[in-house]
Amino acid sequence: MMHFLSVYGLSLLGKTWQHIYISGISLGLGTIVAVPLGIALTRTKRTASIVISIASMLQTIPALALLAFMIPLFGIGAKPAIIALFIYSLLPILRNTYIGMNDVDPTLKDAAKGMGMTGWQSIIKVEVPLAAPVIMSGIRLSATYVIAWAALASYIGAGGLGDFIFNGLNLYRSDLILGGSIPVIILALLVDWVLGKVETALTPQTTEG
Amino acid sequence: MFLSMEHLNKTYSGGKVAVEDFNLEVDKGEFVCFIGTSGSGKTTTMRMINRMLQQTSGTIKINGKDISQMDPVKLRRKIGYVIQNIGLMPHMTIRQNITLVPRLLKWPQDKMNERAKKMIKLVDLPEEFLNRYPSELSGGQQQRIGVVRALAADQDIILMDEPYGALDPITRESLQDLIKDLQERLGKTIIFVTHDMDEALTLATKIVVMDSGKIMQVATPDEILRHPANEFVENLIGKDRLIQARPSITTVGQVMLKNVAAITPDKLLKEALKMMHDRRVDSLLVTDDGGTLKGYIDIEDIDYNFKTATSVGDVMHEDVFYVKSDSLVRDTVERILKRGFKNIPVVDNDNKLVGIVTRAALVDIVYDALWGDEDKKDDSEDTKADAATADQGGDAK
């Protein structure tokens, strides 16, 4: 263990950073696109089913195939990996945002409108706060997926902890395999825990104290 | 006219007619109840007032201004809105809920705090509640907040859509008292949708009965009980209520005795005494030759003044208390009982004496109200209990 760290420690840190970087950016982009899109979809119900089925379809493409498919389009490296992972992160966030917003009690939306809130005010002050826990759990789910799949991104030269795992597989070195996969697992758990905390923080208070 | 609705029609896209040629004028300070079965268009009509729904044709004017020319958001901030499911924002404190509209109107913070305190006092809830969340309040308390939320920004018109439908009867009654009191004290104009006739009769100054999108009758509660416009209205009121309502809508003219002992002021006291003796009464009403009520004279006056005075006019009391023949017995009963009069003269609109209401006649009225229909009804026990309750209700007013 100590031997492994003394030899690979520095590169482990670097790869972990790459891994965080790739998954972080794709998740961030996914959130920025999917949350507003999900909100917008609740305003146009008919388009909603079309958009969500397209997103579901994208989700069914095998991860490896999607990554490989990126090479002719965007070459190799981090960029195609980020784009592929971004596409993957969309669906859970989009679906949860849509469901969360739709599940807000229609009485409250009626009350908000009836008291004179504009459409915007209703979204910002009433619907998004109340849908926040559901939206956040979508982001958490995406985060776990993206971190796991980012390991595959090593195949198209994006780097990350996947490098360790695939090297280990090629060289039949279990220490490298473990050295890559254990940090991925820890990273995924850690991010899920942190986002869980964020979810709690964003859950609106409904009782005193 | 404060609020006027002219030729309103609402047809849904499927061709279903929800409201048909609805016309209504509402004065400031009126308490209007829309009543009808479900699907009668009452809620639809109400929701057109704050443009939650758009009418197919027709105009709604507030203070003479056509609301379709106004910005719907601004319009809604001026109209209070209370809904059946209360609709308090669960993620906002009671304070934030009460000051929701003021916040939209960008009132300064201290003015909003002040208003929140004033509002919670208005509905008899402790100030500590301001920091609580809706889920920590009972249903009745929540709807109290729902009501003041609709008042907090000085809205003149309050729309209430079956606001008490989901509450238990006791809570509902206390909230009815509350809204009636607030409405009278603050002079608000309220449009109140309900399917509960008792609620409408208790609260409204004007009742609008609707059926399948059409107005069946617009009238005061008394008028509706007295003259239901058609069978639908009658059924909606219910036979029991019509029977119970009878004493409260009977006019004095219907129960008064028409054979009154009256005398003119120029008659001698001797003649008055003789008349009393013949009629077996201890007092006489005094009228002029045209029959106009002038005063009264009783046996004690004659006894004291027999030696000194000569004519009735010299000793009669001019401060006679009387009622009009078209006033309601309900009101008269109270006056007679409270003031301890043995009887009260009844006059027509020209102050001409037409009859008299005696305590004995009142006994008949009360008797009829309580037991009058017992013989004709099979379920006499129920009626008796109901009638007794109704009568107590009437007295409380």
Side-chain angles (χ1 to χ4, degrees):
Chain A
M1 178 76 178
M2 286 317 288
H3 175 71
F4 179 83
L5 283 182
S6 64
V7 180
Y8 296 106
L10 216 61
S11 96
L12 185 68
L13 268 182
K15 299 286 179 198
T16 306
W17 167 246
Q18 274 182 339
H19 203 99
I20 294 174
Y21 171 82
I22 295 168
S23 25
I25 289 193
S26 25
L27 184 69
L29 284 176
T31 307
I32 290 171
V33 171
V35 172
L37 186 63
I39 294 172
L41 288 182
T42 58
R43 264 47 193 180
T44 53
K45 303 254 149 112
R46 211 172 307 163
T47 353
S49 59
I50 301 169
V51 173
I52 288 183
S53 36
I54 292 173
S56 305
M57 208 179 66
L58 289 176
Q59 195 81 7
T60 59
I61 304 173
L64 205 54
L66 186 67
L67 285 167
F69 188 65
M70 288 298 136
I71 299 177
L73 294 174
F74 303 103
I76 54 165
K79 195 171 87 177
I82 288 173
I83 293 170
L85 292 174
F86 154 75
I87 292 173
Y88 265 114
S89 73
L90 284 177
L91 181 72
I93 304 177
L94 186 69
R95 197 167 43 197
N96 275 41
T97 306
Y98 183 73
I99 291 171
M101 294 289 286
N102 259 351
D103 277 359
V104 172
D105 185 351
T107 314
L108 296 178
K109 295 188 218 171
D110 184 70
K113 189 179 175 195
M115 280 185 302
M117 284 195 185
T118 61
W120 248 146
Q121 284 168 328
S122 175
I123 290 172
I124 304 286
K125 290 179 189 233
V126 178
E127 295 170 56
V128 168
L130 291 173
V134 186
I135 298 176
M136 259 326 284
S137 70
I139 295 177
R140 262 173 86 179
L141 193 64
S142 274
T144 324
Y145 285 167
V146 165
I147 289 168
W149 286 327
L152 290 178
S154 149
Y155 255 133
I156 57 170
L161 290 164
D163 286 356
F164 274 106
I165 299 171
F166 290 117
N167 277 341
L169 285 172
N170 289 334
L171 303 171
Y172 201 61
R173 291 258 312 263
S174 53
D175 60 337
L176 285 181
I177 298 174
L178 289 176
S181 51
I182 290 172
V184 171
I185 294 167
I186 294 173
L187 193 62
L189 290 175
L190 198 69
V191 168
D192 190 54
W193 181 78
V194 171
L195 290 179
K197 289 282 163 200
V198 175
E199 186 180 318
T200 316
L202 284 179
T203 303
Q205 204 182 352
T206 55
T207 52
E208 221 178 338
Chain B
M1 197 48 58
F2 184 54
L3 169 67
S4 76
M5 308 165 85
E6 288 155 22
H7 304 295
L8 283 184
N9 286 287
K10 174 77 187 173
T11 313
Y12 284 111
S13 47
K16 189 186 169 296
V17 178
V19 178
E20 202 178 329
D21 198 32
F22 185 99
N23 292 284
L24 184 71
E25 306 265 276
V26 179
D27 273 323
K28 207 168 161 54
E30 273 196 281
F31 200 126
V32 182
C33 280
F34 288 4
I35 189 166
T37 48
S38 45
S40 61
K42 52 191 195 301
T43 301
T44 308
T45 310
M46 189 207 78
R47 284 166 69 88
M48 287 192 274
I49 300 173
N50 63 351
R51 291 187 65 184
M52 291 296 278
L53 289 173
Q54 189 67 44
Q55 65 266 31
T56 315
S57 67
T59 45
I60 300 175
K61 288 178 188 164
I62 294 177
N63 276 328
K65 261 188 269 171
D66 187 346
I67 62 164
S68 64
Q69 307 299 319
M70 300 183 199
D71 175 8
V73 167
K74 282 187 187 148
L75 174 76
R76 290 181 198 129
R77 290 175 188 175
K78 279 191 268 182
I79 297 178
Y81 189 51
V82 185
I83 52 180
Q84 175 173 5
N85 299 318
I86 307 172
L88 293 183
M89 301 299 164
H91 60 300
M92 296 183 189
T93 61
I94 298 303
R95 184 194 313 275
Q96 290 167 324
N97 268 293
I98 293 178
T99 56
L100 200 130
V101 183
R103 206 159 55 243
L104 295 176
L105 293 168
K106 301 201 166 61
W107 284 19
Q109 191 59 47
D110 42 337
K111 192 179 170 192
M112 284 200 286
N113 279 333
E114 201 181 303
R115 184 51 59 102
K117 284 183 194 164
K118 190 177 150 195
M119 286 292 134
I120 201 138
K121 210 185 259 172
L122 213 52
V123 287
D124 301 323
L125 290 175
E127 229 172 75
E128 300 93 83
F129 274 32
L130 286 176
N131 295 322
R132 298 207 185 162
Y133 284 88
S135 66
E136 298 169 302
L137 271 58
S138 72
Q141 290 168 336
Q142 288 186 26
Q143 191 57 296
R144 277 164 191 264
I145 300 301
V147 168
V148 284
R149 180 176 65 174
L151 300 171
D154 300 319
Q155 294 94 333
D156 288 327
I157 305 178
I158 321 286
L159 306 180
M160 305 182 86
D161 186 6
E162 303 203 25
Y164 307 146
L167 302 174
D168 65 87
I170 296 169
T171 312
R172 193 186 313 158
E173 210 165 291
S174 80
L175 273 158
Q176 285 169 355
D177 291 344
L178 174 85
I179 191 66
K180 185 79 185 156
D181 177 55
L182 286 180
Q183 188 259 343
E184 281 166 5
R185 257 198 295 162
L186 307 175
K188 303 285 181 189
T189 308
I190 296 183
I191 309 290
F192 191 107
V193 169
T194 180
H195 59 259
D196 179 349
M197 192 38 117
D198 283 319
E199 190 164 67
L201 291 170
T202 317
L203 294 174
T205 56
K206 188 185 264 179
I207 295 179
V208 178
V209 184
M210 293 184 72
D211 181 37
S212 8
K214 289 195 215 72
I215 291 187
M216 293 287 116
Q217 186 170 14
V218 180
T220 63
D222 276 346
E223 188 65 23
I224 288 231
L225 287 172
R226 221 180 307 176
H227 305 296
N230 53 31
E231 207 181 25
F232 177 81
V233 179
E234 248 170 67
N235 288 335
L236 199 65
I237 299 170
K239 285 225 163 50
D240 284 352
R241 263 195 221 93
L242 284 173
I243 290 167
Q244 288 166 30
R246 207 183 292 151
S248 70
I249 60 169
T250 316
T251 62
V252 172
Q254 287 170 292
V255 299
M256 67 183 184
L257 301 175
K258 294 203 176 82
N259 182 14
V260 198
I263 197 163
T264 48
D266 54 324
K267 293 284 192 318
L268 299 175
L269 287 188
K270 207 163 54 183
E271 289 171 275
L273 185 59
K274 184 170 184 305
M275 193 181 209
M276 283 184 189
H277 182 255
D278 289 350
R279 302 285 297 261
R280 317 289 316 157
V281 292
D282 63 353
S283 63
L284 294 173
L285 292 167
V286 184
T287 62
D288 64 14
D289 293 334
T292 306
L293 183 67
K294 287 294 173 196
Y296 72 95
I297 178 171
D298 71 20
I299 186 70
E300 286 174 28
D301 303 321
I302 297 180
D303 193 19
Y304 289 143
N305 305 305
F306 201 67
K307 300 264 160 51
T308 52
T310 51
S311 78
V312 169
D314 297 338
V315 296
M316 71 170 188
H317 299 270
E318 286 179 17
D319 55 339
V320 62
F321 186 84
Y322 60 86
V323 292
K324 299 254 174 183
S325 63
D326 56 359
S327 61
L328 293 176
V329 167
R330 192 182 57 196
D331 309 330
T332 324
V333 170
E334 210 171 306
R335 274 191 238 167
I336 296 183
L337 295 178
K338 262 196 197 144
R339 301 198 179 209
F341 291 122
K342 287 194 288 281
N343 48 52
I344 291 185
V346 181
V347 298
D348 63 12
N349 285 326
D350 300 324
N351 268 344
K352 288 201 168 49
L353 183 68
V354 290
I356 192 162
V357 178
T358 62
R359 280 196 164 234
L362 292 184
V363 170
D364 288 346
I365 293 163
V366 175
Y367 181 89
D368 279 351
L370 296 181
W371 295 298
D373 292 284
E374 187 169 313
D375 305 337
K376 299 161 215 160
K377 298 272 285 188
D378 301 329
D379 51 345
S380 55
E381 281 307 308
D382 294 348
T383 317
K384 192 157 77 184
D386 286 354
T389 330
D391 197 58
Q392 280 163 14
D395 283 351
K397 282 176 203 157

